[in-house]
Amino acid sequence: DGYVKGMGFEILSSLINIVNPRHIAQIIGSSKAKFFDLTPHVKLHRTIHIAETSGKSVSLTPPMSRVTSLSSMPSMHSMQDTSMHRSLSSSALDSLSPIPSSLLRDLRLCVYFLGGYQSFLEIGASFDKGGIVDDENRIAMTLSKMCPYAVPFESIDCIILDEDGGLSQPGNHNIYRELNASIVGLCDKSKSYTCHGLGIVRGVDMVRQLLYILTPVKADILCSNVTSAVRGQLQLPIETRYRGEFSESFPFLCCEGVSIDIGSDEIK
């Protein structure tokens, strides 16, 4: 009947009995149906600390008197009728809305290329449960004012990873076009593609054979350690581009990238 109510609870109970801990911390997520009822494991000299992702918490300890039976303590399921459990779960968990990982990823990427979270705030951008708030295109404006590195084609291997992790063949001119407006890992091929940071391919000059790359990585590290630019499946956050009235047209976006909803899989 499921991992939480079936085999998982039996395994956890066995581990608790073997280890015999004095303190047990239980974190309850956004679903009230997915938690272990650990109150049967409350005994003398043991405290169970129950915390919710909303920040609220409660501790279950047995009464000091040995005469009082532990069976008189409410279980997690019976606590649903008490005001304490309503304050912990019904109000907090029902209203708890997890922020999708894709929105947090976009935030971290923007913060990274802007030079830190303080810089992110100073330009007028903000973040809430709906994602990055930047109606004035301040992020795109700031990035467009940054001076990129001009990298000759012959000085760096350009590689594109497919969804299975396979490598494209370096030297193909189509690769340079596909790298335009994308996130690349700045790697050292001689050290098993050790990544020294990320960059944005801001432009590709096919005539002069130059890549224009924006990155916070220092120039001495780029010159001495970076030999390859590797593009994966991550899409450039839409907030890094001019949009709406600030752009003559909407940017080209690949539909084969990672999910823009939750998780890291493609949208089915």
Side-chain angles (χ1 to χ4, degrees):
D1 59 346
Y3 185 83
V4 172
K5 298 181 180 179
M7 181 181 65
F9 180 74
E10 295 177 2
I11 294 174
L12 181 60
S13 296
S14 298
L15 288 173
I16 292 175
N17 292 333
I18 293 172
V19 178
N20 193 25
R22 301 187 65 176
H23 294 271
I24 299 175
Q26 181 181 20
I27 300 176
I28 301 177
S30 58
S31 174
K32 292 184 291 184
K34 296 181 179 180
F35 64 81
F36 295 101
D37 182 6
L38 298 181
T39 50
H41 295 284
V42 177
K43 65 178 186 179
L44 286 176
H45 309 299
R46 176 183 293 165
T47 302
I48 297 180
H49 308 274
I50 301 174
E52 295 188 351
T53 52
S54 62
K56 296 183 179 180
S57 62
V58 65
S59 297
L60 300 180
T61 56
M64 294 304 294
S65 174
R66 293 179 179 269
V67 178
T68 306
S69 172
L70 292 180
S71 61
S72 63
M73 295 187 62
S75 66
M76 286 294 291
H77 297 288
S78 63
M79 284 170 62
Q80 292 180 358
D81 297 328
T82 67
S83 58
M84 178 179 66
H85 191 259
R86 281 198 301 271
S87 65
L88 283 174
S89 293
S90 298
S91 60
L93 296 183
D94 289 343
S95 62
L96 189 60
S97 179
I99 299 176
S101 58
S102 60
L103 299 182
L104 295 174
R105 179 173 58 241
D106 288 346
L107 173 63
R108 294 193 66 180
L109 287 172
C110 290
V111 167
Y112 175 80
F113 289 115
L114 290 173
Y117 190 65
Q118 187 61 36
S119 299
F120 173 83
L121 295 177
E122 287 176 353
I123 65 173
S126 60
F127 184 82
D128 58 25
K129 288 187 176 182
I132 296 173
V133 180
D134 181 28
D135 296 334
E136 300 297 324
N137 280 216
R138 300 294 181 89
I139 295 176
M141 290 180 183
T142 303
L143 292 176
S144 67
K145 295 176 183 178
M146 294 181 179
C147 183
Y149 292 101
V151 183
F153 287 178
E154 67 271 11
S155 67
I156 193 168
D157 290 334
C158 295
I159 299 170
I160 297 178
L161 297 177
D162 58 31
E163 59 184 13
D164 297 321
L167 301 179
S168 61
Q169 294 296 323
N172 187 342
H173 275 253
N174 289 329
I175 289 180
Y176 299 117
R177 294 187 177 92
E178 292 184 36
L179 286 178
N180 195 20
S182 67
I183 298 175
V184 294
L186 305 174
C187 306
D188 187 348
K189 183 179 180 181
S190 64
K191 297 182 180 179
S192 302
Y193 291 99
T194 299
C195 184
H196 294 280
L198 300 177
I200 297 176
V201 181
R202 177 177 167 180
V204 179
D205 189 335
M206 298 300 295
V207 176
R208 301 174 61 189
Q209 296 196 335
L210 293 173
L211 293 173
Y212 294 98
I213 300 179
L214 287 173
T215 179
V217 180
K218 295 181 180 180
D220 57 337
I221 296 178
L222 293 175
C223 294
S224 60
N225 297 299
V226 175
T227 60
S228 302
V230 181
R231 197 200 83 176
Q233 298 297 308
L234 280 180
Q235 293 288 309
L236 193 64
I238 191 68
E239 291 81 10
T240 62
R241 309 169 187 239
Y242 286 110
R243 310 177 306 283
E245 62 181 294
F246 298 92
S247 176
E248 295 180 357
S249 62
F250 287 101
F252 171 79
L253 295 177
C254 175
C255 63
E256 297 180 350
V258 297
S259 166
I260 60 172
D261 188 11
I262 58 175
S264 58
D265 292 332
E266 294 183 15
I267 297 178
K268 308 300 183 189

